[in-house]
Amino acid sequence: MYNIGIVLFDDFTDVDFFLMYDLLGRTTDSWVVSILGTKSEHRSHLGMSVKTDGPISEVINQDVVLITSGKRGIPAALQDCEFMSALKLDPNRQLIGSICAGSFILHELGLLNGLLLTTNPDAKNVLKKMGGNVQDLPLVIEGNIATAGGCLSLVYLIGWVAERLFDSEKRQFIQNQLIPAGQLEHFEELISSTILLAEQEGINRMTSKR
């Protein structure tokens, strides 16, 4: 069993968290999902309260760490010294991912210095001004770090996690319950090719640097 930690904060984007949590919750025999934050519960942008399972410092004990997003939540989190200092992440032994503006946090932690990343299209210019090498791509993979841009790209991000930990069959088990009727083949081709391309381009960049 793997441990997956979802990092939460106040004013998080509802769809980013709830879709992530729902996708991961579609399998219970492969991983345990924990919601981690600086408080016992955090309130979403739309006012939904979510209880946490443990403090943010427990990210160090996770096999996978996923960072949620938030138009107001991310700027506040970046200014929260308690929050940022507790994020002890190690891409050498952990899979680390973010959705939309969650990549701001990975960038500020120094995990993506000189590397490519993606984010919500509306936040692209801000992250560029902060020094981020932002790409107009739904998924960017740099070793054990993946950033996804746009809420629906969560399908790619969670698919990447499932394939890294298990295989494409695990990914399909998770995603196929979401696919519109009559479009399974179309979405399977889109999802599988997006993940494969991001993985291959990441490998090519690593190889060219050696």
Side-chain angles (χ1 to χ4, degrees):
M1 293 286 282
Y2 292 97
N3 293 311
I4 299 180
I6 298 178
V7 174
L8 211 58
F9 39 78
D10 285 331
D11 280 315
F12 63 87
T13 299
D14 294 68
V15 66
D16 288 346
F17 167 73
F18 289 112
L19 181 54
M20 181 186 294
Y21 192 61
D22 182 89
L23 285 168
L24 291 170
R26 289 171 184 263
T27 179
T28 58
D29 62 350
S30 305
W31 48 60
V32 175
V33 180
S34 299
I35 303 170
L36 308 176
T38 56
K39 302 191 299 188
S40 60
E41 65 179 45
H42 286 287
R43 187 173 294 274
S44 76
H45 177 74
L46 297 180
M48 298 286 288
S49 292
V50 174
K51 293 183 178 180
T52 56
D53 299 307
I56 198 74
S57 58
E58 288 189 12
V59 293
I60 197 171
N61 299 319
Q62 308 301 308
D63 300 299
V64 182
V65 179
L66 300 173
I67 312 291
T68 47
S69 186
K71 186 175 183 179
R72 292 199 303 257
I74 287 292
L78 292 173
Q79 298 299 316
D80 187 338
C81 294
E82 177 191 1
F83 175 85
M84 294 297 290
S85 63
L87 285 175
K88 306 297 184 183
L89 304 178
D90 184 358
N92 292 315
R93 63 175 184 81
Q94 294 175 308
L95 294 182
I96 302 169
S98 68
I99 181 68
C100 294
S103 59
F104 278 69
I105 290 174
L106 300 183
H107 172 73
E108 285 300 283
L109 289 173
L111 296 176
L112 292 169
N113 285 345
L115 303 179
L116 305 188
L117 70 159
T118 187
T119 190
N120 185 300
D122 291 339
K124 175 183 175 180
N125 290 334
V126 176
L127 189 50
K128 272 191 168 184
K129 290 179 181 178
M130 294 171 63
N133 193 348
V134 187
Q135 307 297 302
D136 286 319
L137 294 170
L139 183 69
V140 173
I141 298 171
E142 293 281 9
N144 287 336
I145 303 176
T147 55
C151 299
L152 294 184
S153 64
L154 267 168
V155 176
Y156 306 131
L157 181 63
I158 302 304
W160 169 74
V161 170
E163 288 198 5
R164 280 292 191 95
L165 297 182
F166 293 96
D167 51 33
S168 60
E169 289 187 6
K170 174 66 73 175
R171 170 182 58 76
Q172 291 167 357
F173 172 79
I174 294 170
Q175 78 183 38
N176 287 357
Q177 302 170 65
L178 304 178
I179 304 304
Q183 296 186 333
L184 183 61
E185 291 185 5
H186 172 74
F187 274 91
E188 169 58 23
E189 170 60 26
L190 178 62
I191 295 169
S192 61
S193 62
T194 297
I195 296 173
L196 179 61
L197 180 61
E199 284 275 24
Q200 190 57 58
E201 290 184 343
I203 292 172
N204 291 343
R205 287 191 295 273
M206 291 179 65
T207 302
S208 66
K209 292 178 181 179
R210 292 174 181 172

